Amino acid sequence: MNSTIFTSCDPVYLRDHAPTLVASAVLSGHDIHLHVSYIEKEIDVMSIKDECGRLAGRCLDIAPDSLVTYSVSSIEQNVEPDRDTRVYYACDRFYSARYWLRNFKSLFIVDTDCLIMRKMEEPAESIGLFLRKPLDTTIEWETEGTRVAAGLVYVKNDILGQQFLDTVVHHINDGPARWFLDQVSLSRVSNLIDSDKIHKFGPETLDWEFLPGTSIWTGKGDRKYNNEKYISMKYSFIRKLYATV
């Protein structure tokens, strides 16, 4: 059984980034579950499902043994007017993963704008995090948030993995709708768990400098739009995805 990549995105990222993530996942030997969430009240849910279905079909053409599943739902939190909706979309992956974990052996939860460059082995531990030295900043919230990279979180479908996601969601619910909320929640929950029960992903697994041999290239910030190496690789996957159309 292939290990499963999980991502959650909005309808814009579904069009702009999900096809390359999904293609890179199945070509690297992973299955993937794509969850699309939306805040807008007036939205054509059927067209989103159709788009996901077409993408899943294309992946079967390029990786016949892969499994691509998808789901669509509204974000149920009360979104405050004039707030940055990126916070809600960033946190929704953990709400959604908490629900969908029951259907899978385990999940690698990733950003939709990343590329899976090679197959990842599942850790022995129930939880995997990319812990790093936080940014040197006078803003305590940002310092705490940058201690964990939210672009790669591994959870196993067992008691500890489920409790971990439950507690992360609890911290998100109790926190302010502020950028870094997901990362601060991950950081605080990781401090509650024995260190030897957490797999520590290293720079060979997650990389925003797009180095050869890394498992995941993540398109942080404007790099997803202006870094030549990232863009070139992205279109390489697009060409493979639609090669026989």
Side-chain angles (χ1 to χ4, degrees):
M1 180 183 295
N2 295 333
S3 51
T4 303
I5 303 291
F6 181 92
T7 195
S8 173
C9 67
D10 69 346
V12 174
Y13 265 48
L14 170 64
R15 294 187 295 271
D16 293 350
H17 300 292
T20 44
L21 168 61
V22 174
S24 69
V26 300
L27 287 171
S28 65
H30 287 283
D31 295 332
I32 184 166
H33 184 89
L34 170 64
H35 181 78
V36 184
S37 57
Y38 59 92
I39 293 175
E40 301 85 351
K41 293 181 179 179
E42 300 297 328
I43 196 162
D44 188 346
V45 175
M46 286 307 302
S47 80
I48 293 175
K49 291 182 177 179
D50 288 344
E51 192 169 347
C52 291
R54 289 192 296 270
L55 178 56
R58 292 303 310 156
C59 287
L60 286 176
D61 290 337
I62 63 173
D65 295 329
S66 64
L67 177 63
V68 179
T69 53
Y70 57 89
S71 51
V72 182
S73 71
S74 63
I75 293 179
E76 296 179 355
Q77 298 101 310
N78 292 320
V79 178
E80 300 175 40
D82 302 321
R83 279 299 185 93
D84 188 345
T85 57
R86 295 181 306 161
V87 175
Y88 297 94
Y89 284 124
C91 292
D92 184 66
R93 79 182 77 177
F94 299 108
Y95 283 96
S96 303
R98 176 196 188 194
Y99 175 83
W100 286 103
L101 178 61
R102 70 187 74 172
N103 295 289
F104 298 96
K105 175 186 173 185
S106 61
L107 296 175
F108 287 97
I109 305 169
V110 304
D111 289 331
T112 309
D113 55 13
C114 75
L115 304 174
I116 311 299
M117 302 301 294
R118 63 184 178 90
K119 189 171 185 178
M120 294 177 286
E121 297 299 323
E122 295 196 52
E125 298 83 356
S126 298
I127 301 161
L129 296 172
F130 190 97
L131 302 173
R132 58 184 179 175
K133 182 179 179 181
L135 291 177
D136 184 13
T137 173
T138 58
I139 304 173
E140 184 178 348
W141 177 263
E142 292 185 6
T143 300
E144 186 175 12
T146 55
R147 176 177 168 266
V148 181
L152 173 60
V153 175
Y154 172 82
V155 284
K156 194 169 290 185
N157 184 5
D158 61 15
I159 292 175
L160 183 56
Q162 292 164 353
Q163 288 177 340
F164 174 76
L165 282 182
D166 285 345
T167 311
V168 168
V169 168
H170 174 76
H171 277 261
I172 290 172
N173 284 337
D174 284 351
R178 183 179 177 188
W179 194 239
F180 287 118
L181 175 58
D182 56 337
Q183 292 173 242
V184 169
S185 300
L186 289 170
S187 177
R188 291 179 179 177
V189 176
S190 70
N191 287 331
L192 303 175
I193 302 171
D194 290 341
S195 179
D196 59 0
K197 293 184 178 179
I198 299 176
H199 178 82
K200 284 80 173 177
F201 293 115
E204 73 284 353
T205 306
L206 184 68
D207 164 41
W208 40 90
E209 299 295 340
F210 315 122
L211 301 175
T214 309
S215 298
I216 299 177
W217 284 7
T218 182
K220 289 178 68 68
D222 290 340
R223 297 180 189 190
K224 68 173 80 50
Y225 302 112
N226 58 30
N227 184 280
E228 292 183 3
K229 289 176 67 175
Y230 175 89
I231 293 171
S232 176
M233 186 59 65
K234 180 174 180 177
Y235 282 103
S236 172
F237 284 119
I238 285 291
R239 287 192 294 270
K240 291 175 182 177
L241 184 63
Y242 296 106
T244 60
V245 173

